[in-house]
Amino acid sequence: MKDIKKACFELFLKNKRKLGSYQYTVPSPETYPYQWLWDSCFHAIILTHFNTREAKLEILTLLSKQFENGLIPHMIYWDKESTNDFPVIEWGKKDTSTITQPPMIAYAAWRIFQKDHDESFIKKVYPNLYHFYRYLLNERDPHEKHLIGILNPDESGEDNSPRFDIPLNLPPRHSFKENTQKRLNLVAQNISCNFDAPFCMRNFFWVTDVPFNAIMVKNLKLLAELAAELSYEDDAKFFNGEAEKIAEAMKKYMLDKGIFWSTYEENYQKIKVKTWAIFAPLFAKILSKPEAKKLVEKHLTNPKEFWTNYPVPTVSIDEPSFDPKDFWRGPTWIAVNWFIYKGLLNYGFKDLAKQIKKSSTALLEKSGFREYFNPLTGQGLGAKNFTWGGLVLDMN
Ligand code: GLC
């Protein structure tokens, strides 16, 4: 692949779907023919490198299915008829799921604004964003610990990550089918709870995940910037304050000897499974520079943990659950590399960031726009014509 930007442009043209005034991008036409929340945020970020109008349409289409209570569903089944060969999970709603995904939408809106300074767009989406982040702050923190909880591993975006094995009561090695069944059971419970997050669902699965909370911190800060841009000074103050509180709570409940661990259940026990999540706090600049340096040297660039031939594996290679070919249990994903890339730049680790960009590009050149890659060999795995590879354009 000579020109990644050109290949990416062609892929996005191919994966673009229009329905009346709506427009979105499918992550992969063969495997994922619907709209997904964090995928659309990645798409919008990538599309700003071509055309902000398209990026805006992606976000507006996503927001069109926001729930009354503020939740933005993680899947929207647009155009079910022409995609009816694909399995549709029963979520209790007609055309959307009932769970959410990492809250990257303020970042996407901010990125669009950085590019074209169109205040009318920000004004238009701001009430939706306000409502979504307020939902997460109000409904997903029932113990008022200032940590945001998820109700299903799929809300992390890393469906079968070994971070969720303990809360799901699964051993480090198990089949994909077993894992899926556990997650489907949660969906059924979700429906029987009438989607009530704070009072019912938390009894079945309650995890405060490191990337989700780090993403929340970063996005609340950017939402505060957008609020300030619109002269909503009180909102700006409020969202900055909430970002600080979450960052502090992460240090209080998740941090142990330099590593942030996701927690589970009512007593916020740490889940000590080493995945890329330990680097997510870099993205929100939660660590001090010396702490970040130590984390990077000890773990990221350690060939016994995360520094493989094609970094960054989603799971440390010394974990018993590590499998170089199994979805979120080891393979390298370009979006994860993008988060780590941005995190490294926050601390001035420019050379290392460059290496991540280089190896991400090498993966696309070797194996094409695949969903994920074997971190040892670079072999392409999972869905084909998968959009997330376009994030290398945003490693700058
Ligand atoms: C898989 C991924 C999830 C993504 C979706 C669509 O379910 O785990 O993160 O949003 O596919 O690409």
Side-chain angles (χ1 to χ4, degrees):
M1 199 185 306
K2 285 245 158 51
D3 185 345
I4 296 219
K5 190 160 184 187
K6 189 162 166 268
C8 179
F9 182 76
E10 281 161 11
L11 177 66
F12 271 68
L13 264 187
K14 184 178 153 128
N15 290 16
K16 178 158 71 177
R17 300 290 177 269
K18 277 175 188 274
L19 276 173
S21 58
Y22 295 123
Q23 181 180 309
Y24 61 100
T25 312
V26 296
S28 153
E30 300 83 12
T31 313
Y32 300 113
Y34 309 111
Q35 185 174 22
W36 271 262
L37 169 51
W38 79 334
D39 300 64
S40 272
C41 299
F42 298 148
H43 297 159
I45 293 166
I46 297 163
L47 285 166
T48 61
H49 293 270
F50 298 106
N51 178 340
T52 51
R53 194 185 151 267
E54 306 256 311
K56 289 173 188 165
L57 282 173
E58 183 97 22
I59 295 300
L60 292 171
T61 302
L62 180 65
L63 290 175
S64 72
K65 294 286 178 182
Q66 183 167 25
F67 291 5
E68 281 274 294
N69 69 0
L71 180 139
I72 302 175
H74 94 302
M75 280 181 80
I76 306 175
Y77 295 114
W78 296 107
D79 194 19
K80 246 186 194 169
E81 292 74 43
S82 71
T83 52
N84 59 11
D85 292 347
F86 293 88
V88 171
I89 297 173
E90 196 38 74
W91 299 95
K93 290 242 192 255
K94 206 171 109 250
D95 54 359
T96 69
S97 71
T98 46
I99 59 169
T100 192
Q101 249 184 350
M104 277 297 291
I105 194 158
Y107 192 109
W110 170 83
R111 196 74 180 77
I112 293 169
F113 185 69
Q114 292 295 302
K115 210 71 185 194
D116 70 3
H117 299 284
D118 172 7
E119 209 169 286
S120 69
F121 174 71
I122 295 306
K123 212 167 194 155
K124 192 166 179 179
V125 296
Y126 183 80
N128 299 77
L129 301 193
Y130 177 94
H131 204 31
F132 178 48
Y133 289 93
R134 286 301 296 241
Y135 161 81
L136 292 172
L137 292 168
N138 296 343
E139 299 288 307
R140 296 305 186 91
D141 180 26
H143 304 290
E144 298 185 7
K145 290 262 198 293
H146 303 295
L147 289 175
I148 309 300
I150 56 171
L151 310 174
N152 188 308
D154 294 42
E155 288 199 318
S156 74
E158 298 173 62
D159 312 0
N160 73 340
S161 165
R163 290 204 297 286
F164 310 116
D165 289 352
I166 296 171
L168 289 178
N169 205 6
L170 285 167
R173 291 272 169 179
H174 58 265
S175 69
F176 189 71
K177 207 170 149 204
E178 272 173 280
N179 193 292
T180 307
Q181 195 48 54
K182 289 272 186 179
R183 292 185 281 120
L184 287 177
N185 292 349
L186 285 174
V187 175
Q189 276 153 344
N190 197 180
I191 295 170
S192 72
C193 277
N194 205 18
F195 317 113
D196 183 309
F199 296 109
C200 184
M201 272 312 291
R202 69 168 205 217
N203 300 329
F204 300 108
F205 181 90
W206 188 255
V207 169
T208 58
D209 203 25
V210 174
F212 199 105
N213 280 276
I215 287 170
M216 186 75 180
V217 170
K218 177 74 185 168
N219 276 260
L220 285 175
K221 286 189 184 162
L222 296 178
L223 184 60
E225 273 190 36
L226 296 178
E229 200 60 49
L230 297 170
S231 306
Y232 302 150
E233 302 302 340
D234 289 347
D235 286 8
K237 207 168 151 206
F238 172 76
F239 288 124
N240 267 327
E242 293 299 304
E244 278 315 313
K245 285 183 200 159
I246 297 175
E248 282 311 309
M250 287 178 74
K251 287 184 204 155
K252 183 167 170 195
Y253 295 103
M254 295 173 159
L255 193 58
D256 187 16
K257 297 191 196 81
I259 295 188
F260 286 82
W261 304 102
S262 296
T263 77
Y264 74 114
E265 288 181 356
E266 308 288 287
N267 51 359
Y268 294 73
Q269 290 174 71
K270 295 184 183 73
I271 307 168
K272 296 201 167 176
V273 177
K274 225 184 319 151
T275 71
W276 82 275
I278 68 171
F279 307 117
L282 300 172
F283 177 69
K285 226 176 165 183
I286 294 168
L287 299 154
S288 67
K289 175 104 194 227
E291 285 166 342
K293 189 166 182 282
K294 204 163 158 198
L295 180 76
V296 165
E297 284 171 358
K298 205 165 158 198
H299 303 286
L300 183 63
T301 54
N302 179 349
K304 294 203 172 87
E305 296 190 11
F306 291 95
W307 209 245
T308 54
N309 290 342
Y310 294 90
V312 177
T314 33
V315 176
S316 174
I317 62 175
D318 66 352
E319 278 290 337
S321 55
F322 172 77
D323 179 338
K325 292 185 177 181
D326 185 3
F327 210 38
W328 287 100
R329 302 180 74 83
T332 296
W333 291 65
I334 306 289
V336 163
N337 281 5
W338 177 85
F339 282 111
I340 295 175
Y341 177 92
K342 297 284 177 193
L344 290 171
L345 283 193
N346 278 339
Y347 294 90
F349 299 125
K350 286 193 192 149
D351 288 344
L352 206 49
K354 241 187 231 161
Q355 288 184 55
I356 302 272
K357 179 176 181 172
K358 205 169 148 208
S359 77
S360 304
T361 308
L363 282 170
L364 297 179
E365 278 166 352
K366 181 178 164 68
S367 305
F369 282 81
R370 296 297 297 267
E371 188 179 8
Y372 48 93
F373 305 87
N374 183 322
L376 311 175
T377 64
Q379 179 200 7
L381 300 161
K384 293 183 176 144
N385 298 308
F386 193 71
T387 47
W388 297 11
L391 283 170
V392 296
L393 301 182
D394 198 61
M395 292 185 191
N396 51 18

